[in-house]
Amino acid sequence: MKRFVPYNRTAIELAPLQTYCSALVFSPAASLVKMQFQSQRPLWMPGLPQVRDNWDTLLQTLEGHSEAVSAVAFSPDGKQLASASDDSTVRLWDAGSGKALQTLEGH
Protein backbone atom coordinates (compact mmCIF):
# COMPACT_ATOMS: atom_id res chain seq x y z
CA MET A 1 0.00 0.00 0.00
CA LYS A 2 2.95 2.34 0.64
CA ARG A 3 3.71 2.27 -3.07
CA PHE A 4 0.22 1.68 -4.47
CA VAL A 5 -1.52 4.72 -2.97
CA PRO A 6 1.11 7.40 -3.77
CA TYR A 7 1.66 5.98 -7.25
CA ASN A 8 -2.08 6.08 -8.00
CA ARG A 9 -3.02 9.08 -5.85
CA THR A 10 -4.30 11.19 -8.73
CA ALA A 11 -6.59 8.45 -10.06
CA ILE A 12 -7.87 7.65 -6.58
CA GLU A 13 -8.62 11.32 -5.84
CA LEU A 14 -10.35 11.98 -9.18
CA ALA A 15 -12.25 8.72 -9.61
CA PRO A 16 -12.13 6.50 -6.51
CA LEU A 17 -14.70 4.05 -7.85
CA GLN A 18 -12.49 3.33 -10.85
CA THR A 19 -9.52 2.31 -8.69
CA TYR A 20 -10.06 -1.38 -9.40
CA CYS A 21 -10.45 -0.71 -13.10
CA SER A 22 -7.37 1.44 -13.47
CA ALA A 23 -4.92 1.49 -10.59
CA LEU A 24 -5.05 -2.23 -9.84
CA VAL A 25 -4.98 -3.22 -13.50
CA PHE A 26 -1.82 -1.20 -14.13
CA SER A 27 -0.03 -2.19 -10.92
CA PRO A 28 2.99 -4.50 -11.28
CA ALA A 29 2.17 -8.18 -11.68
CA ALA A 30 3.88 -9.21 -8.42
CA SER A 31 2.30 -6.39 -6.38
CA LEU A 32 0.84 -7.70 -3.12
CA VAL A 33 -2.09 -5.30 -3.48
CA LYS A 34 -2.82 -6.57 -6.99
CA MET A 35 -2.67 -10.19 -5.88
CA GLN A 36 -4.83 -9.50 -2.80
CA PHE A 37 -7.59 -7.82 -4.82
CA GLN A 38 -7.37 -9.89 -8.02
CA SER A 39 -10.90 -11.17 -7.42
CA GLN A 40 -12.18 -7.58 -7.57
CA ARG A 41 -11.21 -7.19 -11.23
CA PRO A 42 -14.29 -6.32 -13.29
CA LEU A 43 -15.65 -9.23 -15.33
CA TRP A 44 -16.01 -7.02 -18.39
CA MET A 45 -12.18 -6.78 -18.53
CA PRO A 46 -11.24 -10.09 -20.13
CA GLY A 47 -7.54 -9.36 -20.52
CA LEU A 48 -4.99 -7.31 -18.67
CA PRO A 49 -2.29 -5.08 -20.13
CA GLN A 50 1.31 -6.21 -19.90
CA VAL A 51 2.93 -4.55 -16.91
CA ARG A 52 6.31 -4.81 -15.22
CA ASP A 53 6.76 -7.47 -12.55
CA ASN A 54 7.73 -5.20 -9.64
CA TRP A 55 7.49 -1.60 -8.50
CA ASP A 56 10.36 0.59 -9.58
CA THR A 57 12.37 2.61 -7.06
CA LEU A 58 10.31 5.76 -7.63
CA LEU A 59 7.94 6.29 -4.71
CA GLN A 60 6.33 9.58 -5.64
CA THR A 61 6.51 12.42 -8.14
CA LEU A 62 5.69 15.94 -7.07
CA GLU A 63 4.21 17.88 -9.98
CA GLY A 64 3.63 21.60 -10.21
CA HIS A 65 6.71 23.50 -11.32
CA SER A 66 6.84 24.57 -14.96
CA GLU A 67 10.65 24.81 -15.09
CA ALA A 68 13.58 22.88 -13.67
CA VAL A 69 13.83 22.49 -9.89
CA SER A 70 17.07 23.96 -8.59
CA ALA A 71 16.83 23.25 -4.84
CA VAL A 72 14.93 21.00 -2.43
CA ALA A 73 14.89 21.04 1.38
CA PHE A 74 12.98 19.20 4.10
CA SER A 75 11.64 20.93 7.20
CA PRO A 76 13.43 19.99 10.46
CA ASP A 77 10.59 17.63 11.43
CA GLY A 78 10.57 16.01 7.97
CA LYS A 79 6.86 16.66 7.46
CA GLN A 80 7.18 19.30 4.76
CA LEU A 81 9.32 19.80 1.71
CA ALA A 82 10.21 23.01 -0.13
CA SER A 83 11.23 23.06 -3.78
CA ALA A 84 12.64 26.08 -5.59
CA SER A 85 12.36 26.30 -9.35
CA ASP A 86 13.61 28.31 -12.31
CA ASP A 87 9.94 29.28 -12.79
CA SER A 88 10.49 31.82 -9.94
CA THR A 89 8.38 29.90 -7.45
CA VAL A 90 8.97 28.03 -4.23
CA ARG A 91 6.43 25.30 -3.55
CA LEU A 92 5.71 23.81 -0.15
CA TRP A 93 4.61 20.18 -0.06
CA ASP A 94 3.33 17.71 2.50
CA ALA A 95 6.14 15.17 2.52
CA GLY A 96 3.86 12.27 3.45
CA SER A 97 1.11 12.70 0.89
CA GLY A 98 2.87 14.78 -1.77
CA LYS A 99 0.05 17.32 -1.68
CA ALA A 100 0.99 20.89 -2.63
CA LEU A 101 0.41 23.15 0.37
CA GLN A 102 1.44 26.58 -0.89
CA THR A 103 3.15 28.36 -3.78
CA LEU A 104 5.34 31.37 -3.15
CA GLU A 105 5.89 33.44 -6.30
CA GLY A 106 8.70 35.77 -7.31
CA HIS A 107 11.48 34.06 -5.37
Side-chain angles (χ1 to χ4, degrees):
M1 289 306 289
K2 286 183 179 183
R3 289 188 182 266
F4 179 83
V5 172
Y7 188 82
N8 295 291
R9 180 176 56 97
T10 302
I12 292 168
E13 288 174 351
L14 294 175
L17 297 178
Q18 282 78 26
T19 299
Y20 293 123
C21 298
S22 56
L24 283 173
V25 168
F26 292 104
S27 294
S31 164
L32 295 176
V33 174
K34 187 171 191 167
M35 289 189 272
Q36 177 71 32
F37 293 99
Q38 187 65 30
S39 64
Q40 302 297 318
R41 185 171 57 105
L43 297 175
W44 57 264
M45 289 183 111
L48 296 176
Q50 288 187 339
V51 294
R52 61 186 172 273
D53 288 335
N54 296 296
W55 295 103
D56 57 20
T57 56
L58 176 70
L59 293 178
Q60 192 169 30
T61 301
L62 304 177
E63 297 180 4
H65 288 294
S66 60
E67 300 288 333
V69 173
S70 55
V72 175
F74 280 93
S75 63
D77 63 5
K79 293 183 179 181
Q80 294 182 347
L81 174 75
S83 57
S85 171
D86 293 342
D87 64 7
S88 298
T89 65
V90 172
R91 291 186 178 260
L92 301 178
W93 311 87
D94 179 278
S97 69
K99 180 179 180 183
L101 300 174
Q102 188 172 6
T103 300
L104 307 171
E105 297 184 21
H107 299 275

